[in-house]
Amino acid sequence: TFIDCFIDTFRLSYDGDTETFGNPDSVETRMGGGRHAVEMVEYVFPWLKQVPYFAHITEAFVARMGYTRGVDLFASQFDFRHAPSIDSDWYRETVSLIEGLHTKTNTSVVIITHSYGGLWGKYLLEMQGAEWSKKYIAGFVPISAPWKGSAKIMGLFASGDNLGIPYVHAHTARIIQRAAQANFLMLPSPDVFNSSTVTRLARAHVRVWWSQS
């Protein structure tokens, strides 16, 4: 079926010898619609309007605040399966976009991120440094960023999350989610969660403990 084919091609593979994540053999991923096209982040899938992502936010910017897609309102797509340090193209192109907007408009840029995107935004700002940020960045607005991990990740590993996509079972999505490098970066931190119950399943509670050894 289409779903099974998608799972097989989209999941990451781990190479134990090089300790790296990558696509399965003969699979290449490309950035659909252009990396900075706002339309590509308004819905979880652009062709599936039932599952909005940034659509409500971008529409508010356009309708209420006078922004224009592709003029002073842009996206910065990344491969959400990976760690920020992996995607050098995203890093280079996003820095170029910000600097170009600053030159074109003579104003600094506000970066708005959601969830895991907050870690990517933070990575970019840390790598560019304080002087660069002072010149080009007017604000950084991370929404629901998992700075200390997310309890939801434990549920995702346990039973999966179909992200509200029709006809996709959570257990099917779990195959991709368990293989994604990104989800390991968002595991709950002992600084915050300690030995808490982080998720509840139908017949059990999932608790986490950390050893000091």
Side-chain angles (χ1 to χ4, degrees):
T1 66
F2 168 77
I3 297 298
D4 292 332
C5 180
F6 177 78
I7 295 297
D8 286 340
T9 56
F10 198 64
R11 63 179 174 80
L12 291 178
S13 298
Y14 178 71
D15 187 329
D17 294 331
T18 61
E19 298 184 345
T20 57
F21 290 83
N23 290 324
D25 291 341
S26 302
V27 173
E28 177 186 358
T29 51
R30 293 177 293 176
M31 197 62 60
R35 186 181 297 277
H36 303 310
V38 173
E39 293 80 4
M40 299 304 296
V41 301
E42 292 184 306
Y43 298 89
V44 173
F45 292 103
W47 43 265
L48 190 63
K49 303 300 183 182
Q50 301 99 309
V51 190
Y53 188 49
F54 261 92
H56 301 308
I57 295 177
T58 56
E59 187 57 36
F61 278 120
V62 171
R64 301 178 189 177
M65 303 177 68
Y67 284 85
T68 302
R69 295 176 179 87
V71 176
D72 51 10
L73 182 63
F74 293 87
S76 183
Q77 295 187 75
F78 58 85
D79 190 332
F80 63 87
R81 302 171 302 166
H82 285 291
S85 58
I86 296 299
D87 196 341
S88 58
D89 289 340
W90 169 85
Y91 179 87
R92 183 182 63 257
E93 292 174 21
T94 302
V95 168
S96 178
L97 172 67
I98 291 171
E99 293 178 350
L101 283 171
H102 183 274
T103 300
K104 179 180 177 180
T105 64
N106 199 33
T107 58
S108 300
V109 173
V110 175
I111 299 174
I112 301 175
T113 63
H114 174 251
S115 188
Y116 183 49
L119 302 187
W120 284 68
K122 179 174 179 285
Y123 173 81
L124 183 144
L125 295 176
E126 288 180 342
M127 293 297 293
Q128 287 300 110
E131 288 302 314
W132 184 90
S133 297
K134 183 178 180 180
K135 178 178 180 180
Y136 291 105
I137 305 300
F140 176 39
V141 186
I143 303 170
S144 300
W147 303 128
K148 292 292 186 176
S150 170
K152 184 177 181 179
I153 293 297
M154 298 301 293
L156 180 149
F157 277 128
S159 57
D161 184 349
N162 72 348
L163 303 176
I165 302 172
Y167 313 116
V168 177
H169 195 281
H171 286 181
T172 302
R174 181 178 61 184
I175 298 171
I176 290 177
Q177 292 161 344
R178 283 181 170 178
Q181 180 186 20
N183 290 332
F184 292 95
L185 300 179
M186 292 186 283
L187 286 169
S189 168
D191 296 343
V192 174
F193 292 90
N194 205 351
S195 60
S196 306
T197 298
V198 293
T199 191
R200 290 176 172 82
L201 307 178
R203 298 182 180 178
H205 293 182
V206 177
R207 297 176 65 86
V208 290
W209 290 267
W210 283 267
S211 171
Q212 298 300 317
S213 59

Coordinates of all heavy atoms in Angstrom, one line a residue, residues 104-141:
K104 N 17.5 44.1 2.4 CA 16.4 44.5 1.6 C 15.5 45.5 2.3 O 15.0 46.5 1.7 CB 15.6 43.3 1.1 CG 14.4 43.7 0.2 CD 13.7 42.4 -0.2 CE 12.5 42.7 -1.0 NZ 11.8 41.4 -1.5
T105 N 15.2 45.2 3.6 CA 14.2 46.0 4.3 C 14.8 47.0 5.3 O 14.1 47.8 5.9 CB 13.2 45.0 5.1 OG1 14.0 44.3 6.1 CG2 12.6 44.1 4.1
N106 N 16.1 46.8 5.6 CA 16.8 47.6 6.6 C 16.1 47.4 8.0 O 16.1 48.4 8.8 CB 16.8 49.1 6.2 CG 17.8 49.9 7.0 OD1 18.9 49.3 7.3 ND2 17.5 51.1 7.3
T107 N 15.6 46.3 8.2 CA 15.0 46.0 9.5 C 15.5 44.6 10.0 O 15.8 43.7 9.1 CB 13.5 46.0 9.5 OG1 13.0 45.0 8.5 CG2 12.9 47.3 9.2
S108 N 15.5 44.4 11.3 CA 15.9 43.1 11.8 C 14.8 42.1 11.7 O 13.6 42.4 11.5 CB 16.3 43.2 13.3 OG 17.4 44.1 13.4
V109 N 15.1 40.8 11.8 CA 14.1 39.7 11.6 C 13.7 39.1 12.9 O 14.5 38.9 13.9 CB 14.8 38.6 10.7 CG1 14.0 37.4 10.6 CG2 15.2 39.2 9.4
V110 N 12.4 38.7 13.0 CA 11.8 38.0 14.1 C 11.7 36.5 13.7 O 11.1 36.2 12.7 CB 10.5 38.5 14.5 CG1 9.9 37.7 15.6 CG2 10.6 40.0 15.0
I111 N 12.3 35.6 14.5 CA 12.2 34.2 14.2 C 11.2 33.6 15.1 O 11.2 33.7 16.3 CB 13.6 33.5 14.5 CG1 14.7 34.1 13.6 CG2 13.5 32.0 14.3 CD1 16.1 33.6 13.9
I112 N 10.2 32.9 14.5 CA 9.1 32.2 15.2 C 9.3 30.7 14.9 O 9.3 30.3 13.8 CB 7.7 32.7 14.8 CG1 7.6 34.2 15.1 CG2 6.7 32.0 15.6 CD1 6.3 34.8 14.6
T113 N 9.3 29.9 16.0 CA 9.5 28.5 15.8 C 8.4 27.8 16.6 O 7.8 28.3 17.5 CB 10.8 28.0 16.2 OG1 11.0 28.2 17.7 CG2 12.0 28.7 15.5
H114 N 8.2 26.5 16.3 CA 7.3 25.7 17.1 C 7.9 24.4 17.4 O 8.6 23.7 16.5 CB 6.0 25.4 16.3 CG 5.1 24.5 17.0 ND1 4.8 23.2 16.5 CD2 4.3 24.6 18.1 CE1 4.0 22.6 17.4 NE2 3.7 23.4 18.3
S115 N 7.8 23.9 18.6 CA 8.2 22.6 19.1 C 9.7 22.4 18.8 O 10.6 23.2 19.1 CB 7.3 21.5 18.5 OG 7.6 20.3 19.0
Y116 N 10.0 21.3 18.1 CA 11.4 21.0 17.7 C 12.1 22.1 17.0 O 13.3 22.2 17.0 CB 11.4 19.7 17.0 CG 12.8 19.2 16.6 CD1 13.8 19.1 17.6 CD2 13.1 18.7 15.3 CE1 15.0 18.6 17.3 CE2 14.3 18.2 15.0 CZ 15.3 18.1 16.0 OH 16.5 17.6 15.7
G117 N 11.4 22.9 16.2 CA 12.0 24.0 15.5 C 12.7 25.0 16.4 O 13.6 25.7 16.0
G118 N 12.3 25.0 17.7 CA 13.0 25.9 18.7 C 14.4 25.5 18.9 O 15.3 26.4 19.0
L119 N 14.7 24.2 18.8 CA 16.1 23.7 19.0 C 16.9 24.1 17.7 O 18.1 24.4 17.8 CB 16.1 22.2 19.2 CG 15.3 21.7 20.4 CD1 15.6 20.2 20.6 CD2 15.7 22.4 21.7
W120 N 16.3 24.1 16.6 CA 17.0 24.5 15.4 C 17.2 26.0 15.4 O 18.3 26.4 15.0 CB 16.1 24.2 14.1 CG 16.2 22.7 13.8 CD1 15.6 21.7 14.5 CD2 16.8 22.1 12.6 NE1 15.8 20.5 13.9 CE2 16.5 20.7 12.7 CE3 17.4 22.6 11.5 CZ2 17.0 19.8 11.8 CZ3 17.9 21.7 10.6 CH2 17.7 20.3 10.7
G121 N 16.3 26.8 15.8 CA 16.5 28.2 15.9 C 17.6 28.6 16.9 O 18.4 29.4 16.7
K122 N 17.6 27.9 18.1 CA 18.6 28.1 19.1 C 20.0 27.7 18.6 O 21.0 28.4 18.8 CB 18.2 27.3 20.3 CG 19.2 27.3 21.5 CD 18.7 26.6 22.7 CE 19.7 26.6 23.9 NZ 20.8 25.7 23.6
Y123 N 20.0 26.6 17.8 CA 21.3 26.2 17.3 C 21.9 27.2 16.3 O 23.1 27.6 16.4 CB 21.1 24.9 16.5 CG 22.3 24.4 15.7 CD1 23.4 23.7 16.4 CD2 22.4 24.6 14.4 CE1 24.5 23.3 15.7 CE2 23.5 24.2 13.6 CZ 24.6 23.5 14.3 OH 25.7 23.1 13.6
L124 N 21.0 27.8 15.5 CA 21.5 28.8 14.5 C 22.0 30.0 15.2 O 23.1 30.5 14.9 CB 20.3 29.2 13.6 CG 20.7 30.2 12.5 CD1 19.9 29.8 11.2 CD2 20.3 31.6 12.9
L125 N 21.3 30.5 16.2 CA 21.7 31.7 16.9 C 23.0 31.5 17.7 O 23.8 32.4 17.8 CB 20.5 32.2 17.9 CG 19.2 32.6 17.2 CD1 18.2 32.9 18.2 CD2 19.5 33.8 16.2
E126 N 23.1 30.3 18.3 CA 24.3 30.0 19.0 C 25.5 30.0 18.1 O 26.6 30.4 18.4 CB 24.2 28.8 19.8 CG 23.2 28.9 21.0 CD 23.1 27.6 21.8 OE1 23.4 26.5 21.2 OE2 22.6 27.6 23.0
M127 N 25.3 29.3 16.9 CA 26.4 29.2 16.0 C 26.8 30.5 15.4 O 28.0 30.8 15.2 CB 26.0 28.2 14.9 CG 25.9 26.8 15.4 SD 27.4 26.0 16.0 CE 28.4 26.0 14.5
Q128 N 25.9 31.4 15.2 CA 26.2 32.7 14.6 C 26.7 33.7 15.6 O 27.5 34.6 15.2 CB 24.9 33.3 13.9 CG 24.5 32.6 12.7 CD 25.6 32.7 11.6 OE1 26.2 31.6 11.2 NE2 25.8 33.8 11.0
G129 N 26.4 33.5 16.8 CA 27.0 34.4 17.9 C 26.2 35.6 18.2 O 25.3 36.0 17.5
A130 N 26.6 36.3 19.3 CA 25.9 37.4 19.8 C 25.9 38.6 18.9 O 24.9 39.4 18.7 CB 26.4 37.8 21.2
E131 N 27.1 38.9 18.3 CA 27.2 40.1 17.5 C 26.3 40.0 16.2 O 25.7 41.0 15.9 CB 28.7 40.3 17.1 CG 29.6 40.8 18.2 CD 29.1 42.1 18.9 OE1 28.7 43.0 18.1 OE2 29.0 42.2 20.1
W132 N 26.3 38.9 15.6 CA 25.5 38.6 14.4 C 24.0 38.8 14.8 O 23.2 39.4 14.1 CB 25.7 37.3 13.8 CG 25.0 37.0 12.6 CD1 25.4 37.2 11.3 CD2 23.7 36.4 12.5 NE1 24.4 36.8 10.4 CE2 23.4 36.3 11.1 CE3 22.8 35.9 13.4 CZ2 22.2 35.7 10.7 CZ3 21.6 35.3 13.0 CH2 21.3 35.2 11.6
S133 N 23.6 38.1 15.9 CA 22.2 38.2 16.4 C 21.8 39.6 16.7 O 20.7 40.0 16.4 CB 22.0 37.3 17.6 OG 22.3 35.9 17.3
K134 N 22.7 40.4 17.3 CA 22.4 41.8 17.7 C 22.1 42.6 16.4 O 21.2 43.5 16.4 CB 23.5 42.4 18.4 CG 23.3 43.8 18.9 CD 24.5 44.3 19.7 CE 24.2 45.7 20.2 NZ 25.4 46.2 21.0
K135 N 22.8 42.3 15.3 CA 22.6 43.1 14.1 C 21.4 42.6 13.3 O 20.6 43.5 12.8 CB 23.9 42.9 13.2 CG 23.7 43.6 11.9 CD 25.0 43.5 11.1 CE 24.9 44.2 9.7 NZ 26.1 44.1 8.9
Y136 N 21.1 41.3 13.2 CA 20.1 40.8 12.3 C 18.8 40.3 13.0 O 17.8 40.2 12.3 CB 20.7 39.6 11.5 CG 21.8 40.0 10.6 CD1 23.1 39.8 10.9 CD2 21.5 40.7 9.4 CE1 24.1 40.1 10.0 CE2 22.5 41.0 8.5 CZ 23.8 40.8 8.8 OH 24.8 41.1 7.9
I137 N 18.8 40.1 14.3 CA 17.6 39.5 14.9 C 17.0 40.4 15.9 O 17.6 41.0 16.8 CB 18.0 38.2 15.6 CG1 18.8 37.2 14.7 CG2 16.8 37.5 16.3 CD1 18.0 36.8 13.5
A138 N 15.7 40.7 15.6 CA 14.9 41.5 16.5 C 14.2 40.7 17.6 O 13.9 41.3 18.7 CB 13.8 42.3 15.7
G139 N 14.0 39.5 17.4 CA 13.4 38.6 18.4 C 13.4 37.2 18.0 O 13.4 36.8 16.8
F140 N 13.3 36.3 19.0 CA 13.3 34.9 18.9 C 12.1 34.4 19.7 O 12.1 34.6 20.9 CB 14.6 34.2 19.3 CG 14.6 32.7 19.2 CD1 13.9 32.0 18.2 CD2 15.2 32.0 20.2 CE1 14.0 30.6 18.2 CE2 15.2 30.6 20.2 CZ 14.6 29.9 19.2
V141 N 11.1 33.8 19.0 CA 9.8 33.4 19.7 C 9.6 31.9 19.5 O 9.0 31.5 18.6 CB 8.6 34.2 19.1 CG1 7.3 33.9 19.9 CG2 8.9 35.7 19.1

